[in-house]
Short mmCIF file of all heavy atoms in Angstrom, two decimals:
data_model
loop_
_atom_site.label_atom_id
_atom_site.label_comp_id
_atom_site.label_asym_id
_atom_site.label_seq_id
_atom_site.Cartn_x
_atom_site.Cartn_y
_atom_site.Cartn_z
N HIS A 213 -16.70 20.11 -29.12
CA HIS A 213 -17.57 20.42 -27.98
C HIS A 213 -17.20 19.60 -26.74
O HIS A 213 -16.57 18.56 -26.85
CB HIS A 213 -19.04 20.17 -28.35
CG HIS A 213 -19.53 21.09 -29.41
ND1 HIS A 213 -19.29 20.87 -30.76
CD2 HIS A 213 -20.23 22.25 -29.34
CE1 HIS A 213 -19.83 21.86 -31.45
NE2 HIS A 213 -20.42 22.70 -30.63
N MET A 214 -17.67 20.07 -25.60
CA MET A 214 -17.34 19.43 -24.32
C MET A 214 -18.55 18.64 -23.81
O MET A 214 -19.71 18.94 -24.14
CB MET A 214 -16.96 20.47 -23.26
CG MET A 214 -15.78 21.34 -23.62
SD MET A 214 -14.24 20.44 -23.85
CE MET A 214 -13.76 20.08 -22.16
N SER A 215 -18.25 17.66 -22.97
CA SER A 215 -19.32 16.89 -22.34
C SER A 215 -18.90 16.50 -20.93
O SER A 215 -17.77 16.76 -20.52
CB SER A 215 -19.65 15.63 -23.16
OG SER A 215 -18.55 14.73 -23.11
N ASN A 216 -19.82 15.86 -20.22
CA ASN A 216 -19.53 15.34 -18.87
C ASN A 216 -19.68 13.83 -18.89
O ASN A 216 -20.15 13.25 -19.86
CB ASN A 216 -20.52 15.93 -17.86
CG ASN A 216 -20.28 17.41 -17.66
OD1 ASN A 216 -19.17 17.90 -17.87
ND2 ASN A 216 -21.32 18.11 -17.24
N ALA A 217 -19.31 13.21 -17.78
CA ALA A 217 -19.47 11.76 -17.66
C ALA A 217 -19.96 11.42 -16.25
O ALA A 217 -19.46 11.97 -15.28
CB ALA A 217 -18.14 11.07 -17.91
N THR A 218 -20.95 10.55 -16.17
CA THR A 218 -21.48 10.12 -14.87
C THR A 218 -21.11 8.67 -14.59
O THR A 218 -20.63 7.95 -15.48
CB THR A 218 -23.03 10.22 -14.84
OG1 THR A 218 -23.56 9.44 -15.92
CG2 THR A 218 -23.51 11.66 -14.96
N MET A 219 -21.38 8.26 -13.36
CA MET A 219 -21.30 6.83 -13.01
C MET A 219 -22.37 6.59 -11.95
O MET A 219 -22.39 7.28 -10.92
CB MET A 219 -19.91 6.49 -12.42
CG MET A 219 -19.85 5.06 -11.86
SD MET A 219 -18.22 4.63 -11.21
CE MET A 219 -18.24 5.45 -9.62
N LEU A 220 -23.27 5.68 -12.24
CA LEU A 220 -24.33 5.35 -11.28
C LEU A 220 -23.80 4.23 -10.39
O LEU A 220 -23.53 3.13 -10.88
CB LEU A 220 -25.57 4.90 -12.04
CG LEU A 220 -26.78 4.48 -11.21
CD1 LEU A 220 -27.31 5.67 -10.40
CD2 LEU A 220 -27.88 3.92 -12.11
N PHE A 221 -23.67 4.48 -9.09
CA PHE A 221 -23.07 3.46 -8.23
C PHE A 221 -23.88 3.27 -6.95
O PHE A 221 -24.70 4.12 -6.58
CB PHE A 221 -21.61 3.79 -7.92
CG PHE A 221 -21.38 4.92 -6.94
CD1 PHE A 221 -20.82 4.69 -5.69
CD2 PHE A 221 -21.72 6.22 -7.28
CE1 PHE A 221 -20.61 5.72 -4.79
CE2 PHE A 221 -21.51 7.27 -6.38
CZ PHE A 221 -20.96 7.02 -5.14
N GLY A 222 -23.62 2.12 -6.32
CA GLY A 222 -24.34 1.83 -5.07
C GLY A 222 -25.54 0.94 -5.29
O GLY A 222 -26.47 0.91 -4.48
N HIS A 223 -25.53 0.17 -6.39
CA HIS A 223 -26.65 -0.76 -6.65
C HIS A 223 -26.11 -2.19 -6.64
O HIS A 223 -25.80 -2.70 -5.57
CB HIS A 223 -27.41 -0.38 -7.93
CG HIS A 223 -26.51 0.02 -9.07
ND1 HIS A 223 -25.99 -0.88 -9.96
CD2 HIS A 223 -26.00 1.22 -9.44
CE1 HIS A 223 -25.23 -0.27 -10.83
NE2 HIS A 223 -25.19 1.02 -10.54
N VAL A 224 -25.98 -2.81 -7.82
CA VAL A 224 -25.51 -4.21 -7.83
C VAL A 224 -24.03 -4.32 -8.25
O VAL A 224 -23.47 -5.42 -8.26
CB VAL A 224 -26.36 -5.09 -8.78
CG1 VAL A 224 -27.81 -5.12 -8.32
CG2 VAL A 224 -26.29 -4.57 -10.21
N GLU A 225 -23.45 -3.19 -8.60
CA GLU A 225 -22.05 -3.24 -9.07
C GLU A 225 -21.12 -3.47 -7.89
O GLU A 225 -21.48 -3.25 -6.73
CB GLU A 225 -21.69 -1.93 -9.81
CG GLU A 225 -21.09 -0.82 -8.97
CD GLU A 225 -22.04 -0.20 -7.97
OE1 GLU A 225 -23.24 -0.52 -7.98
OE2 GLU A 225 -21.56 0.59 -7.12
N GLN A 226 -19.88 -3.91 -8.20
CA GLN A 226 -18.88 -4.05 -7.15
C GLN A 226 -17.80 -2.97 -7.34
O GLN A 226 -17.79 -2.29 -8.37
CB GLN A 226 -18.27 -5.44 -7.22
CG GLN A 226 -19.31 -6.50 -6.88
CD GLN A 226 -18.77 -7.91 -7.03
OE1 GLN A 226 -17.58 -8.14 -6.84
NE2 GLN A 226 -19.63 -8.84 -7.40
N LYS A 227 -16.94 -2.90 -6.33
CA LYS A 227 -15.95 -1.81 -6.37
C LYS A 227 -15.11 -1.83 -7.64
O LYS A 227 -14.83 -0.80 -8.23
CB LYS A 227 -15.05 -1.90 -5.13
CG LYS A 227 -15.80 -1.56 -3.86
CD LYS A 227 -15.02 -1.94 -2.63
CE LYS A 227 -15.88 -1.72 -1.40
NZ LYS A 227 -15.61 -2.64 -0.31
N HIS A 228 -14.71 -3.04 -8.06
CA HIS A 228 -13.83 -3.10 -9.25
C HIS A 228 -14.54 -2.63 -10.51
O HIS A 228 -13.89 -2.15 -11.44
CB HIS A 228 -13.23 -4.52 -9.40
CG HIS A 228 -14.23 -5.59 -9.72
ND1 HIS A 228 -14.54 -5.92 -11.02
CD2 HIS A 228 -15.00 -6.39 -8.94
CE1 HIS A 228 -15.45 -6.90 -11.02
NE2 HIS A 228 -15.75 -7.19 -9.77
N HIS A 229 -15.88 -2.73 -10.54
CA HIS A 229 -16.60 -2.19 -11.70
C HIS A 229 -16.48 -0.68 -11.76
O HIS A 229 -16.44 -0.08 -12.84
CB HIS A 229 -18.08 -2.59 -11.64
CG HIS A 229 -18.33 -4.06 -11.73
ND1 HIS A 229 -19.07 -4.74 -10.78
CD2 HIS A 229 -17.92 -4.99 -12.63
CE1 HIS A 229 -19.11 -6.03 -11.11
NE2 HIS A 229 -18.42 -6.20 -12.23
N ARG A 230 -16.45 -0.05 -10.59
CA ARG A 230 -16.31 1.42 -10.57
C ARG A 230 -14.94 1.83 -11.11
O ARG A 230 -14.81 2.79 -11.85
CB ARG A 230 -16.47 1.95 -9.14
CG ARG A 230 -17.84 1.67 -8.55
CD ARG A 230 -17.90 2.14 -7.10
NE ARG A 230 -18.92 1.39 -6.38
CZ ARG A 230 -18.93 1.19 -5.07
NH1 ARG A 230 -17.99 1.73 -4.32
NH2 ARG A 230 -19.89 0.50 -4.51
N ILE A 231 -13.92 1.08 -10.72
CA ILE A 231 -12.56 1.43 -11.17
C ILE A 231 -12.47 1.21 -12.69
O ILE A 231 -11.91 2.03 -13.42
CB ILE A 231 -11.49 0.58 -10.44
CG1 ILE A 231 -11.64 0.77 -8.91
CG2 ILE A 231 -10.08 0.95 -10.92
CD1 ILE A 231 -11.41 2.18 -8.41
N ASP A 232 -13.04 0.10 -13.15
CA ASP A 232 -13.06 -0.16 -14.60
C ASP A 232 -13.75 1.01 -15.34
O ASP A 232 -13.27 1.48 -16.38
CB ASP A 232 -13.81 -1.48 -14.85
CG ASP A 232 -14.14 -1.69 -16.29
OD1 ASP A 232 -13.20 -1.88 -17.09
OD2 ASP A 232 -15.35 -1.66 -16.67
N HIS A 233 -14.86 1.46 -14.76
CA HIS A 233 -15.61 2.58 -15.35
C HIS A 233 -14.71 3.81 -15.47
O HIS A 233 -14.64 4.45 -16.53
CB HIS A 233 -16.79 2.88 -14.40
CG HIS A 233 -17.84 3.79 -14.97
ND1 HIS A 233 -18.96 3.33 -15.60
CD2 HIS A 233 -17.94 5.14 -14.95
CE1 HIS A 233 -19.72 4.36 -15.96
NE2 HIS A 233 -19.11 5.48 -15.58
N MET A 234 -13.99 4.12 -14.38
CA MET A 234 -13.13 5.31 -14.40
C MET A 234 -12.00 5.17 -15.40
O MET A 234 -11.66 6.12 -16.10
CB MET A 234 -12.54 5.54 -12.99
CG MET A 234 -13.58 5.94 -11.96
SD MET A 234 -12.83 5.98 -10.30
CE MET A 234 -14.29 5.74 -9.28
N ILE A 235 -11.43 3.96 -15.47
CA ILE A 235 -10.29 3.78 -16.39
C ILE A 235 -10.73 3.93 -17.84
O ILE A 235 -10.03 4.52 -18.67
CB ILE A 235 -9.63 2.40 -16.16
CG1 ILE A 235 -9.11 2.34 -14.72
CG2 ILE A 235 -8.54 2.11 -17.21
CD1 ILE A 235 -7.67 2.09 -14.50
N ARG A 236 -11.93 3.40 -18.16
CA ARG A 236 -12.40 3.57 -19.55
C ARG A 236 -12.55 5.07 -19.88
O ARG A 236 -12.20 5.50 -20.97
CB ARG A 236 -13.74 2.86 -19.74
CG ARG A 236 -13.65 1.35 -19.62
CD ARG A 236 -14.91 0.69 -20.17
NE ARG A 236 -15.16 -0.62 -19.61
CZ ARG A 236 -15.96 -1.53 -20.16
NH1 ARG A 236 -16.59 -1.26 -21.27
NH2 ARG A 236 -16.17 -2.70 -19.58
N LEU A 237 -13.06 5.83 -18.90
CA LEU A 237 -13.23 7.28 -19.15
C LEU A 237 -11.87 7.97 -19.28
O LEU A 237 -11.68 8.83 -20.13
CB LEU A 237 -14.01 7.91 -17.99
CG LEU A 237 -15.50 7.59 -17.97
CD1 LEU A 237 -16.14 8.07 -16.67
CD2 LEU A 237 -16.22 8.25 -19.15
N ARG A 238 -10.95 7.56 -18.42
CA ARG A 238 -9.61 8.17 -18.45
C ARG A 238 -8.95 7.94 -19.81
O ARG A 238 -8.26 8.81 -20.35
CB ARG A 238 -8.78 7.53 -17.32
CG ARG A 238 -7.51 8.23 -16.99
CD ARG A 238 -6.87 7.64 -15.76
NE ARG A 238 -6.26 6.32 -16.03
CZ ARG A 238 -5.62 5.58 -15.12
NH1 ARG A 238 -5.53 6.01 -13.87
NH2 ARG A 238 -5.09 4.42 -15.43
N THR A 239 -9.20 6.75 -20.39
CA THR A 239 -8.61 6.42 -21.68
C THR A 239 -9.15 7.35 -22.79
O THR A 239 -8.38 7.87 -23.59
CB THR A 239 -8.90 4.94 -22.03
OG1 THR A 239 -8.44 4.14 -20.94
CG2 THR A 239 -8.22 4.50 -23.31
N LEU A 240 -10.46 7.56 -22.82
CA LEU A 240 -10.98 8.46 -23.86
C LEU A 240 -10.53 9.90 -23.61
O LEU A 240 -10.20 10.62 -24.56
CB LEU A 240 -12.52 8.40 -23.95
CG LEU A 240 -13.11 9.33 -25.03
CD1 LEU A 240 -12.58 8.98 -26.42
CD2 LEU A 240 -14.63 9.32 -25.05
N GLN A 241 -10.48 10.27 -22.33
CA GLN A 241 -10.04 11.64 -22.03
C GLN A 241 -8.61 11.88 -22.50
O GLN A 241 -8.29 12.97 -22.98
CB GLN A 241 -10.20 11.89 -20.52
CG GLN A 241 -9.79 13.29 -20.05
CD GLN A 241 -10.80 14.37 -20.42
OE1 GLN A 241 -11.57 14.25 -21.37
NE2 GLN A 241 -10.79 15.46 -19.67
N ASP A 242 -7.76 10.87 -22.40
CA ASP A 242 -6.39 11.00 -22.90
C ASP A 242 -6.40 11.34 -24.40
O ASP A 242 -5.58 12.09 -24.89
CB ASP A 242 -5.62 9.67 -22.74
CG ASP A 242 -4.97 9.56 -21.37
OD1 ASP A 242 -4.85 10.58 -20.67
OD2 ASP A 242 -4.60 8.43 -21.01
#
Side-chain angles (χ1 to χ4, degrees):
H213 294 82
M214 302 298 284
S215 67
N216 291 335
T218 56
M219 172 178 78
L220 179 64
F221 74 113
H223 41 89
V224 299
E225 93 292 353
Q226 294 175 31
K227 290 167 186 148
H228 67 91
H229 295 126
R230 298 176 204 156
I231 304 297
D232 168 67
H233 192 94
M234 292 173 204
I235 299 238
R236 293 195 205 198
L237 287 170
R238 194 173 73 180
T239 305
L240 180 60
Q241 180 74 335
D242 273 345

